[in-house]
Amino acid sequence: MSDQFDVGVAESVSVEEFTEGAMLNYAMYVINDRALPHIGDGLKPVQRRIVYAMSELRLSADAKYSKSARTVGDVIGKFHPHGDSACYEAMVLMAQPFAYRYPLVDGQGNWGSPDDPKSFAAQRYTESKLTKYADVLLSELGQGTVPWQPNFDGTIEEPIHLPSRLPNILLNGGMGIAVGMATDILPHNLNEIAAACIRLLDKPRSTIKDICEHIKGPDFPTGAEIISSSDDLCEMYESGRGAVRARAVYEVESGEIVITALPHQVSGTKVLEQIATQMQAKKLPMVVDLRDESDHENPTRIVVVPRSNRVNSDELMSHLFATTDLERSYRINLNMIGIDGKPGVRPLVTLLKEWLVYRSDTVLKRLKFRLDKILDRLHILDGLLLAYLNIDEVIRIIREEDKPKKALMSNFKLSEIQANAILDIRLRQLARLEEEKIRGEKDELNAERADIEKIINSKARLKTLIKKEIVADAETFGDDRRSAIVTREEASAFKEKDLISTEPVLIVLSSNGWIRAAKGHDTNPRDLSYRSGDEYLGSAPGRTNQDSVFIDSTGRAYALAAHTLPSARGQGEPLTGRVNPPEGAYFTGVVTGDKEQQFLVASDAGYGFVATLEDMVTKNKAGKSLVTVPKGSVAMQPALVSDFDHEFIAAFTNEGRLLIFPLRDLPMMVRGKGIKIINIPSARVKERLEMMTNLVVFSEVDTLVVTSGKRTLSLKIDELEHYRGERARRGLKLPRGFQKVDGVERLRGD
């Protein structure tokens, strides 16, 4: 015996080639034997083995529940030698009504909850059996319909796939990740799928648009809405790839938003956490409370309580759809193993046609199997009939002959099968054979044989049979659609400004350009504390979610969000710290309000126009040019406009002149110089000798209170008529003693 090994018979393979081959083999194993479902029964190998093992254990829908541990043990011991926990998890998935559209396993015990699907009890604590729907996969199993293969150790055989009477691959869907490919098949409604199959049987050339008339879209086990458009769904089915968006369903009850259905595989607890996190971060100021009122009667009932009835529920839910799992996208990739044993992505029409080919082949195999059984039985019945006609001789042969089988075969020209059938009958039963019963059974079997042969030899009859069986199953297991298909607008999250609480504030501007915001509108800004050498200049009532606009002497406008301004508890902060005005400019006014709010903007040279707040707002720290200011003049505090068509303008000059005319005589502009309000010579403006000091917008029922020193003059509409004139006139002088106007206040009438 040589100590040297003979390596001449060994094949030399490089590491690269060996690794490549090993990886390829592994990839094909994962694709074919683990991850991808078969188009015929829509099951992965582990799922198929669980269903088959349970059928072998006689765990039908009519049977008693059996310990899940026993079933799992049988599966991994005979068919699937992998981890018991993974096998049990696959069984749990098939038993969860919130996971499977049409569950295959009927579970007793804790099988998880929609909120936490992984919370199921251990296999030793749960019991299970098959559902009635599982008959769709198993009822034709022992009828020669499917090929068989040895199990992993070759001791017994198992079906390669199950003879499904319906396209279960679409009904329950499936997910899986293989090497280099994945599958994402969503569940569908049985009635819709059945109708589509019948349509294709009747009209094989039907297009995807024709099929989409029946299959509206996926149908999830939960009641959430599918918000993808019909065109998008049709396009997705045409390619076999795409995505579907699902959204929670809600209703408003007594001002509260009640969420009654969540998207498929979405946890209610997680949604609550997501909303609560936003509330804690003060990103949902319009929500004051959040409750979970889910119970056995209402599996999903999440209550969102808005701050007030002024909160728009649709806008709030649109924000939650965009920022939480209340809206979810589901990928679709119709990848599966076809009847040729090869994986591939199939468009919907191709998928259904291929399944119908599979179904036709299955039905043909079932019919031929039954035909063979009928022929075998007819052969035996012929032998029994011959035995009846010669009953005495047959009995004698059985009793007296040493080799009765050969004697029967030679005397009556029987086959071995016929002879065995006669011998297998007891003598008493043989003596009781009745010709009528034998001939009656033969007639029945011959009639059945004739029907089967007609179906086998006719494609039309075969299609009719398949349609009848699909319709029957649809009537038995079909139900209404759970996921309504409603096209919705795309959800959008709130902007930062929308998330700000709408509390009333008073924006206060000082002469030196310091700003602050006081809570409420009742604060008297003149009573606030000001820095030494500083005093009150102007104020504007508004809300925290609005923009504040400041006007400087050069006519530039600057915008700041009201909620960002410092509190009025202190003396504020300089406006120049937030904006960059031109050198030498100082601030002359402040306004705030809604973006549609109108204001009269002017320079003290006597020119002006009407603009909206939106026209004044800018994000630029250097501001935007609003009022073109003539040389020697400055921009004034804008005046609020309530009714452009019916209000009036009161323009006062430093010389005590007053001019009143309708506001509608002025144009609406975005920016510019405007037109002349009151006539002031430009030379006097340049020298700052004459200027417009006050500008008031008022209505007919209002009263103007003119302050001059310690004296006041109240002017109502009748008294103001004296000062009324055409735009751009000089105006008339106020009474003696009131020609030095220190201030003008508008008192609103009833």
Side-chain angles (χ1 to χ4, degrees):
M1 183 176 178
S2 176
D3 294 333
Q4 300 294 323
F5 289 102
D6 185 8
V7 297
V9 296
E11 184 180 356
S12 179
V13 181
S14 68
V15 175
E16 183 181 358
E17 291 178 355
F18 176 80
T19 305
E20 185 178 345
M23 286 300 299
L24 181 61
N25 291 333
Y26 175 73
M28 293 308 299
Y29 157 73
V30 172
I31 292 170
N32 293 315
D33 297 328
R34 281 183 67 178
L36 296 189
H38 190 274
I39 191 172
D41 55 15
L43 300 177
K44 299 178 186 179
V46 65
Q47 296 170 328
R48 184 179 303 115
R49 288 161 176 167
I50 291 170
V51 172
Y52 176 65
M54 293 182 74
S55 70
E56 288 293 286
L57 291 171
R58 303 290 189 269
L59 297 177
S60 65
D62 299 327
K64 293 182 179 179
Y65 290 96
S66 176
K67 281 289 184 183
S68 301
R70 182 201 175 192
T71 304
V72 170
D74 218 56
V75 173
I76 65 176
K78 293 181 178 178
F79 308 107
H80 199 75
H82 298 274
D84 62 332
S85 59
C87 180
Y88 179 55
E89 193 167 330
M91 177 194 285
V92 170
L93 193 67
M94 293 190 291
Q96 293 176 335
F98 48 85
Y100 259 44
R101 185 64 177 82
Y102 302 95
L104 296 170
V105 176
D106 182 5
Q108 185 171 265
N110 180 11
W111 290 79
S113 65
D115 197 49
D116 187 7
K118 300 282 187 179
S119 63
F120 50 85
Q123 55 186 298
R124 61 184 179 274
Y125 299 120
T126 62
E127 297 178 336
S128 56
K129 62 180 180 179
L130 293 171
T131 61
K132 192 68 179 174
Y133 174 77
D135 289 344
V136 170
L137 304 172
L138 296 166
S139 62
E140 300 172 351
L141 186 59
Q143 302 178 31
T145 50
V146 294
W148 295 70
Q149 65 182 7
N151 69 336
F152 66 93
D153 60 0
T155 55
I156 55 176
E157 288 192 331
E158 62 175 336
I160 295 177
H161 47 80
L162 300 178
S164 178
R165 301 199 306 264
L166 292 170
N168 185 64
I169 188 114
L170 286 173
L171 298 182
N172 280 319
M175 298 178 65
I177 301 174
V179 180
M181 60 175 61
T183 183
D184 294 278
I185 306 171
L186 299 183
H188 290 75
N189 185 269
L190 197 155
N191 288 333
E192 294 180 4
I193 297 295
C197 290
I198 292 170
R199 176 74 174 262
L200 281 173
L201 286 169
D202 292 333
K203 299 179 180 178
R205 294 186 178 181
S206 298
T207 63
I208 186 63
K209 290 185 177 179
D210 300 328
I211 298 303
C212 285
E213 292 178 4
H214 303 285
I215 303 176
K216 306 298 183 182
D219 189 23
F220 296 107
T222 58
E225 293 178 343
I226 294 173
I227 61 172
S228 300
S229 66
S230 300
D231 293 339
D232 291 343
L233 291 171
C234 194
E235 185 178 345
M236 177 264 297
Y237 284 133
E238 190 172 14
S239 64
R241 291 187 176 94
V244 172
R245 300 195 70 83
R247 181 179 289 182
V249 176
Y250 71 94
E251 55 191 32
V252 180
E253 298 179 1
S254 304
E256 298 179 342
I257 301 171
V258 181
I259 301 168
T260 57
L262 295 173
H264 183 48
Q265 296 175 333
V266 169
S267 168
T269 302
K270 187 177 180 181
V271 170
L272 287 166
E273 290 176 357
Q274 290 172 336
I275 300 175
T277 300
Q278 292 191 44
M279 292 174 66
Q280 292 171 359
K282 297 183 178 180
K283 293 184 177 181
L284 275 180
M286 65 288 295
V287 177
V288 295
D289 193 18
L290 182 67
R291 302 193 305 272
D292 185 7
E293 297 182 354
S294 305
D295 52 29
H296 293 291
E297 295 182 359
N298 302 288
T300 301
R301 185 177 172 84
I302 298 173
V303 182
V304 180
V305 184
R307 183 177 294 278
S308 67
N309 55 10
R310 293 191 302 272
V311 176
N312 191 310
S313 300
D314 294 336
E315 291 180 0
L316 172 58
M317 289 305 299
S318 179
H319 170 78
L320 293 177
F321 290 143
T323 57
T324 69
D325 288 344
L326 288 174
E327 181 176 321
R328 185 170 176 183
S329 178
Y330 300 88
R331 185 176 62 181
I332 287 185
N333 187 25
L334 302 180
N335 191 10
M336 65 202 70
I337 297 173
I339 56 179
D340 58 356
K342 297 179 181 178
V345 176
R346 288 159 173 79
L348 182 61
V349 175
T350 305
L351 191 161
L352 290 174
K353 285 183 176 179
E354 188 171 347
W355 183 84
L356 286 172
V357 171
Y358 167 83
R359 181 59 188 160
S360 299
D361 184 57
T362 301
V363 173
L364 275 175
K365 287 179 179 177
R366 188 191 76 203
L367 293 173
K368 290 177 180 179
F369 180 83
R370 177 59 182 166
L371 183 60
D372 291 340
K373 292 290 185 183
I374 290 172
L375 293 175
D376 290 345
R377 181 60 179 169
L378 286 172
H379 183 62
I380 291 173
L381 289 175
D382 288 338
L384 293 177
L385 186 60
L386 189 61
Y388 172 78
L389 296 175
N390 301 275
I391 188 67
D392 293 333
E393 180 63 14
V394 169
I395 292 173
R396 187 196 65 79
I397 291 172
I398 294 172
R399 284 178 173 176
E400 297 177 2
E401 294 289 336
D402 294 334
K403 297 181 179 179
K405 183 166 63 174
K406 287 185 177 181
L408 288 172
M409 293 173 63
S410 62
N411 289 1
F412 302 106
K413 297 181 179 180
L414 299 175
S415 68
E416 187 175 354
I417 295 173
Q418 290 173 321
N420 286 331
I422 295 171
L423 292 172
D424 287 340
I425 302 177
R426 292 179 182 180
L427 288 176
R428 287 183 181 180
Q429 292 176 309
L430 188 63
R432 287 186 206 158
L433 284 176
E434 295 180 15
E435 185 180 8
E436 289 184 7
K437 288 184 179 180
I438 296 173
R439 294 189 183 278
E441 187 179 352
K442 281 188 67 177
D443 292 342
E444 290 178 3
L445 291 174
N446 281 319
E448 187 179 353
R449 182 185 67 177
D451 291 339
I452 292 174
E453 288 175 344
K454 286 179 182 178
I455 296 172
I456 291 174
N457 297 322
S458 172
K459 291 183 179 180
R461 291 177 183 271
L462 181 62
K463 284 185 179 181
T464 302
L465 176 62
I466 294 171
K467 285 194 294 184
K468 285 182 179 179
E469 293 178 349
I470 291 174
V471 169
D473 285 335
E475 290 176 352
T476 304
F477 303 106
D479 56 1
D480 296 332
R481 167 173 281 277
R482 297 181 188 176
S483 303
I485 299 177
V486 185
T487 303
R488 303 283 190 187
E489 294 182 0
E490 186 177 354
S492 58
F494 285 134
K495 298 178 181 177
E496 185 179 356
K497 187 181 290 185
D498 299 329
L499 297 173
I500 300 166
S501 59
T502 57
E503 298 175 356
V505 289
L506 184 69
I507 314 301
V508 182
L509 175 67
S510 74
S511 298
N512 291 344
W514 284 60
I515 53 170
R516 48 186 153 172
K519 288 186 177 181
H521 293 165
D522 300 330
T523 303
N524 188 345
R526 299 180 185 276
D527 295 338
L528 296 176
S529 172
Y530 294 89
R531 296 168 62 87
S532 178
D534 200 3
E535 61 181 355
Y536 168 78
L537 176 64
S539 61
R543 308 192 75 81
T544 51
N545 63 337
Q546 296 173 336
D547 287 313
S548 308
V549 176
F550 303 90
I551 311 296
D552 73 5
S553 57
T554 66
R556 297 189 71 80
Y558 310 85
L560 294 175
H563 74 278
T564 65
L565 301 180
S567 172
R569 293 175 182 173
Q571 294 177 335
E573 62 182 56
L575 189 52
T576 52
R578 300 199 180 195
V579 298
N580 298 326
E583 188 176 353
Y586 55 91
F587 296 98
T588 59
V590 56
V591 294
T592 187
D594 296 328
K595 61 182 181 179
E596 301 87 5
Q597 181 63 59
Q598 295 175 332
F599 292 91
L600 171 59
V601 294
S603 65
D604 64 3
Y607 292 85
F609 58 91
V610 176
T612 64
L613 188 76
E614 189 175 15
D615 298 330
M616 307 179 192
V617 174
T618 177
K619 294 182 179 180
N620 194 347
K621 292 185 69 176
K624 66 184 291 186
S625 178
L626 178 65
V627 185
T628 302
V629 178
K631 191 174 181 180
S633 69
V634 298
M636 300 179 63
Q637 163 72 38
L640 179 69
V641 175
S642 300
D643 190 347
F644 178 78
D645 294 321
H646 300 95
E647 288 187 316
F648 298 89
I649 295 175
F652 298 83
T653 69
N654 62 329
E655 291 193 347
R657 294 182 178 274
L658 170 61
L659 177 63
I660 294 174
F661 63 89
L663 177 64
R664 61 177 176 268
D665 291 351
L666 290 184
M668 290 189 181
M669 299 172 63
V670 176
R671 63 171 66 87
K673 182 179 179 180
I675 63 175
K676 191 173 286 188
I677 297 174
I678 189 169
N679 186 11
I680 302 175
S682 58
R684 293 181 63 81
V685 172
K686 289 180 182 179
E687 298 295 330
R688 302 297 291 171
L689 297 174
E690 188 176 351
M691 66 204 76
M692 189 166 61
T693 55
N694 298 90
L695 194 61
V696 183
V697 178
F698 67 99
S699 67
E700 290 183 346
V701 297
D702 296 339
T703 301
L704 298 184
V705 180
V706 181
T707 303
S708 180
K710 294 183 178 180
R711 301 175 65 188
T712 60
L713 174 66
S714 297
L715 300 173
K716 294 187 177 181
I717 190 65
D718 296 338
E719 298 164 310
L720 293 171
E721 192 68 28
H722 174 69
Y723 302 97
R724 200 163 170 178
E726 296 181 1
R727 181 190 60 78
R729 298 294 185 179
R730 286 285 285 166
L732 298 176
K733 286 207 170 189
L734 290 165
R736 191 178 296 275
F738 292 96
Q739 295 179 0
K740 185 184 177 187
V741 179
D742 294 324
V744 182
E745 185 181 0
R746 171 188 176 184
L747 296 180
R748 295 183 179 273
D750 296 333

